[in-house]
Amino acid sequence: MTTPRPAHVAMFSIAAHGHVNPSLEVIRELVARGHRVTYAIPHVFADKVAETGAEPRPYTTTLPSPDDDPEAWGTELIDNIEPFLDDAIQVLPELARAYEGDEPDLVLHDITSYPARVLARRWGVPEISLSPNLVAWEGYEEEVAEPMYAELKVSERGRAYYARFIAWLAENGIDQDPDPFVGRPPRSLVLIPKALQPHADRVDESVHTFVGACQGDRAAQGDWERPAGVEKVLLVSLGSAFTKQPGFYRACVEAFGGLPGWHVVLQVGKHVDASELGEVPANIEVRDWVPQLAVLRKADAFITHAGAGGSQEGLATATPMVAVPQAADQFGNADMLQGLGVARHLPMAEADAGALREAALALVDDPEVARRLAEIQTSMAAEGGTKMAADLIEAELAKARA
């Protein structure tokens, strides 16, 4: 195979671990293949991006940062989507200036990066979405989006949001409604296992290619050692954003504290202090952060919020999961995991000590759960991952240059 001529590839994302982490190994691979990769990212993530060999292009964002209280995102649907448009409008001129005279040959972008799509069309270069979670299938609008957004679209605030979005797109020469602009990219690489995609048989694979998890070795995050002599290791983590749940962590302490043979790694995030948990038994290790993949490689069970990253890491390491979703796509992921026969979906309102303990014990002792996990782990290993993603990006570059 002929090595493609090196190109300038520009990646655009937001300051959120669940949106940046899935793309990092793809970026690292493109750099290793000789391409110059610039990565537009808020300042707080510039160092993380630089570790891949890409050139960070830091920009100023108005979105809540990973260290902000999750309540900064509000409580209503409009609270969750409006900030992305606000941020896009204010950051587009800054990003345009940052790339003036250094326009890329191809644009990669996270699903939340609206300015990237505008700029790709302005520059006349290919755009590829790197999706860190599920993508729309044929029928998605009618089955999911329209019922979800119906009330919003008739509200005063919702109408103002859509009018502003349409006007912004039109100002930038884009004659497209906001919903397909956001949800229907012309080309997409899906960085989750196909097993996690709802209605995968109805996804247009001429647009969306499932490359699966692109995890890398994560050695830079450090390792974790399983304590000698323990029979079972349980990891509890609600990810990096919606972690302000002291009551839930207390329920975990009650459920597994002192349980014979069990060791618990309890990640509580930055918004909860260990002192809020009361007396913590010796078999529970409380941390504000852990190298999650390293722990899962040695764990027997995982209580997770069912974010896309955590869900696929649980599948990749064949770890049974108790899914306690908090927001966004996590509820759908929890249902998918339960449907696959490898997890129990436990709503937060029902996640008391007894239910958590019962679910975890049942999963780790079930040979059918282990069998299903092994099957999925094998299918994931064949999906191609980082190498396939880089190959497909180079194929789009070759097409554009033909």
Side-chain angles (χ1 to χ4, degrees):
M1 179 178 171
T2 305
T3 303
R5 178 163 50 89
H8 175 194
V9 176
M11 172 70 191
F12 296 76
S13 193
I14 61 169
H17 293 287
H19 290 260
V20 173
N21 290 346
S23 72
L24 292 179
E25 291 306 313
V26 178
I27 300 305
R28 195 187 312 277
E29 176 69 13
L30 291 172
V31 171
R33 294 185 183 198
H35 300 293
R36 182 166 76 90
V37 183
T38 55
Y39 198 128
I41 191 73
H43 295 75
V44 68
F45 273 59
D47 288 346
K48 174 176 272 214
V49 162
E51 289 171 2
T52 66
E55 305 168 26
R57 291 284 169 92
Y59 67 85
T60 302
T61 182
T62 58
L63 292 173
S65 84
D67 293 333
D68 287 341
D69 190 312
E71 291 174 6
W73 284 101
T75 56
E76 299 179 32
L77 176 60
I78 189 69
D79 297 329
N80 298 153
I81 62 174
E82 205 171 43
F84 292 106
L85 177 59
D86 293 343
D87 193 58
I89 291 171
Q90 70 87 28
V91 83
L92 178 62
E94 181 182 353
L95 290 175
R97 288 192 300 272
Y99 280 91
E100 190 171 359
D102 189 26
E103 291 81 6
D105 300 295
L106 179 143
V107 164
L108 302 175
H109 63 83
D110 178 68
I111 55 174
T112 59
S113 187
Y114 308 159
R117 299 172 219 186
V118 170
L119 290 171
R121 296 173 200 195
R122 183 181 298 179
W123 296 328
V125 300
E127 56 180 287
I128 304 177
S129 169
L130 298 186
S131 180
N133 51 28
L134 63 85
V135 294
W137 55 89
E138 296 308 314
Y140 171 83
E141 285 78 9
E142 297 80 5
E143 295 164 18
V144 178
E146 288 174 9
M148 183 187 300
Y149 285 85
E151 189 175 331
L152 171 67
K153 288 187 174 184
V154 298
S155 71
E156 185 177 349
R157 192 173 165 192
R159 287 197 303 269
Y161 165 80
Y162 275 97
R164 191 170 174 229
F165 208 148
I166 290 166
W168 180 68
L169 290 175
E171 285 166 16
N172 288 286
I174 297 173
D175 181 21
Q176 189 177 16
D177 286 335
D179 291 342
F181 174 79
V182 171
R184 292 289 184 178
R187 185 73 176 97
S188 166
L189 304 184
V190 192
L191 309 182
I192 63 168
K194 199 171 183 179
L196 275 178
Q197 169 67 40
H199 306 294
D201 59 327
R202 288 197 271 150
V203 171
D204 182 353
E205 294 198 39
S206 69
V207 172
H208 303 283
T209 303
F210 290 87
V211 299
C214 301
Q215 293 174 340
D217 65 11
R218 307 272 180 90
Q221 292 186 358
D223 203 359
W224 180 85
E225 289 301 322
R226 183 182 175 111
V230 303
E231 296 172 19
K232 303 290 184 187
V233 167
L234 166 68
L235 171 63
V236 180
S237 171
L238 297 181
S240 58
F242 297 91
T243 60
K244 194 178 179 182
Q245 298 287 355
F248 170 75
Y249 301 132
R250 285 193 289 269
C252 291
V253 171
E254 182 184 346
F256 302 101
L259 192 63
W262 281 66
H263 179 83
V264 180
V265 181
L266 180 60
Q267 178 181 282
V268 298
K270 297 181 177 180
H271 304 295
V272 174
D273 191 88
S275 63
E276 297 178 64
L277 307 183
E279 186 176 347
V280 177
N283 71 319
I284 296 185
E285 172 187 342
V286 180
R287 305 271 290 274
D288 61 1
W289 180 87
V290 295
Q292 182 164 286
L293 192 56
V295 178
L296 285 174
R297 285 173 176 148
K298 299 168 184 176
D300 302 281
F302 183 22
I303 297 179
T304 172
H305 65 310
S311 297
Q312 67 185 21
E313 288 177 6
L315 293 175
T317 56
T319 310
M321 288 169 272
V322 179
V324 187
Q326 308 294 299
D329 62 323
Q330 297 160 19
F331 300 97
N333 291 339
D335 286 338
M336 287 295 293
L337 291 169
Q338 181 165 276
L340 290 169
V342 300
R344 181 85 60 86
H345 179 178
L346 191 61
M348 178 60 90
E350 301 172 20
D352 59 22
L356 288 165
R357 184 169 55 248
E358 179 188 357
L361 292 176
L363 286 164
V364 298
D365 288 333
D366 189 335
E368 180 60 17
V369 170
R371 187 190 69 79
R372 290 292 298 125
L373 281 165
E375 278 184 359
I376 294 167
Q377 187 181 42
T378 300
S379 70
M380 284 177 67
E383 285 184 316
T386 302
K387 183 181 182 302
M388 178 178 281
D391 287 348
L392 291 168
I393 291 165
E394 290 187 331
E396 292 295 327
L397 278 167
K399 241 195 292 186
R401 288 167 164 174

